[in-house]
Amino acid sequence: MFSEWIRSAAALFKTVVVKLAGNSSEGNASVVESTAVRIYEIEPGDGPAWGTLSGLTAHPSDPSRLYAVTDNDSPPVRILELDVSADPARVVRQIPVIAPGLDKLDLEAIVAQSDGGFWLASEGAEDNNPPNVLLEVDAEGELRRSIDLPESIASRIEKKGFEGLALEKTPSGSRLYVAFQAPLAGDGDDVTRIGAVDVVTGQWTFFHYPLERLPSGDFTGLSELLHLGNRRFAAIERDGKGGRKSVKWITTFELASLVGSPADAVPPIITKQLAVDLVPLFTHLDRKVEKEIEGLAIASDGHVYVVTDNDNERATLLLRIGKATEIFEPAPK
């Protein structure tokens, strides 16, 4: 199934490469020729040192600003404001997350809100202790409220939980979507979950996202989620390896025709499409293929950015990979 899905997705990726390279006559046009594709080593700026970034979001209106979060390998947990108009991109502000009563936070995802606040996803540990939790903080990082999982779902999380977060405005308020990195106990090894929670009512529903079996026998996992509008989403799906044969995909899927299931029911299965294979973007620019692609965001000017988590071992990379209108163009029906 893995090799068949790769072959069927190749034509779609080939189209994306041609668009990014601005060349409609050469099917194998090199991404490196495009001014839209850039890789920055992020300058750290002032404040406590950090080396691990695990989520990315865009400022609602300022195209020069992105926000990232550090995970628990770069304490204290905080929100980093990035200036992407600088060359290279750099951190210009650090916002500590202040959440009394919530210990051992491991932030994995972030979404900026129009009022200056943020929603954050913190991944729990084994057996959901400490718990996987969604946090709303204000512009200064102070906790407004938190949302927990239903116990019947929380009790089935093994070692890997929340890993991506997206926000959708609804007529009655808003809805958060969270990506689980790996399958829950009792689900198949070939599916993980997308959870949706109504911010007003706290009601959860769930969907199954299909994973891919790798040649090693392991399965891919999710590391980011992004709302594209009209119940359409992008995700980062990847393995945990580096190199030219590794899997680093940006996929898209739609939920408009699906009804999520409650916690105690079997979720419907999402149909996904490949949007971009990130491996050639590294290799065409003669860069090492990074193991951990963690964050995905669309700036207010439409540019798409990806960030890596380098585990305190080397420079953190920020990739600008093109315009959302090209990368996330809906696939033909």
Side-chain angles (χ1 to χ4, degrees):
M1 180 178 180
F2 175 79
S3 59
E4 292 175 357
W5 198 82
I6 286 290
R7 285 195 296 270
S8 65
L12 177 58
F13 172 65
K14 182 177 178 181
T15 301
V16 171
V17 171
V18 169
K19 287 182 177 180
L20 292 179
N23 186 333
S24 60
S25 63
E26 293 294 329
N28 59 351
S30 173
V31 179
V32 72
E33 296 174 5
S34 173
T35 58
V37 179
R38 296 288 302 276
I39 297 181
Y40 304 96
E41 294 186 2
I42 302 175
E43 293 291 331
D46 298 328
W50 53 268
T52 56
L53 298 185
S54 54
L56 194 67
T57 191
H59 188 284
S61 59
D62 186 346
S64 72
R65 292 294 188 266
L66 302 177
Y67 299 95
V69 285
T70 63
D71 63 22
N72 62 359
D73 288 331
S74 287
V77 291
R78 70 211 104 129
I79 300 165
L80 303 182
E81 182 177 340
L82 308 178
D83 179 0
V84 296
S85 68
D87 191 1
R90 60 191 178 92
V91 174
V92 293
R93 185 163 67 113
Q94 300 194 18
I95 307 169
V97 175
I98 304 168
L102 293 173
D103 299 325
K104 299 180 180 179
L105 293 177
D106 185 9
L107 301 183
E108 295 292 342
I110 178 172
V111 176
Q113 301 193 84
S114 58
D115 66 354
F118 304 90
W119 278 101
L120 310 171
S122 179
E123 184 179 28
E126 188 171 0
D127 298 324
N128 203 50
N129 183 28
N132 289 263
V133 62
L134 301 178
L135 313 171
E136 185 182 26
V137 301
D138 64 18
E140 303 306 315
E142 294 194 14
L143 182 67
R144 287 174 174 168
R145 56 177 161 167
S146 61
I147 299 176
D148 294 318
L149 279 167
E151 177 56 32
S152 60
I153 296 294
S155 63
R156 295 170 59 189
I157 294 175
E158 297 180 309
K159 293 182 179 180
K160 298 177 180 179
F162 288 171
E163 197 72 18
L165 186 65
L167 177 66
E168 176 192 32
K169 294 297 183 181
T170 66
S172 61
S174 57
R175 185 179 293 112
L176 289 167
Y177 293 82
V178 61
F180 292 72
Q181 183 177 4
L184 299 182
D187 284 350
D189 291 340
D190 59 347
V191 289
T192 189
R193 294 207 180 201
I194 304 293
V197 59
D198 187 298
V199 171
V200 175
T201 66
Q203 181 178 359
W204 284 87
T205 55
F206 297 90
F207 306 84
H208 266 157
Y209 179 100
L211 302 174
E212 297 300 321
R213 183 186 292 273
L214 303 168
S216 65
D218 296 328
F219 285 86
T220 54
L222 296 182
S223 65
E224 182 63 295
L225 197 60
L226 175 66
H227 184 226
L228 300 176
N230 299 322
R231 300 202 75 199
R232 187 164 178 254
F233 297 84
I236 293 179
E237 182 178 348
R238 62 173 175 83
D239 58 11
K241 304 181 184 300
R244 294 171 179 265
K245 295 183 179 181
S246 61
V247 175
K248 310 291 178 236
W249 296 332
I250 299 176
T251 65
T252 60
F253 60 89
E254 296 185 7
L255 297 180
S257 62
L258 296 179
V259 177
S261 70
D264 57 353
V266 178
I269 297 180
I270 290 165
T271 299
K272 66 185 181 186
Q273 301 286 336
L274 179 64
V276 177
D277 182 349
L278 291 169
V279 170
L281 277 85
F282 285 101
T283 58
H284 281 304
L285 293 172
D286 199 27
R287 303 288 299 238
K288 178 180 179 181
V289 179
E290 297 291 331
K291 291 190 300 182
E292 298 189 26
I293 310 297
E294 288 285 333
L296 175 67
I298 302 173
S300 62
D301 62 359
H303 279 107
V304 180
Y305 291 87
V306 174
V307 75
T308 66
D309 176 353
N310 288 321
D311 294 328
N312 288 309
E313 295 176 355
R314 52 197 175 276
T316 296
L317 303 181
L318 182 72
L319 289 70
R320 189 186 70 192
I321 63 173
K323 285 284 193 151
T325 52
E326 298 173 327
I327 293 172
F328 299 125
E329 181 181 9
K333 297 294 185 180

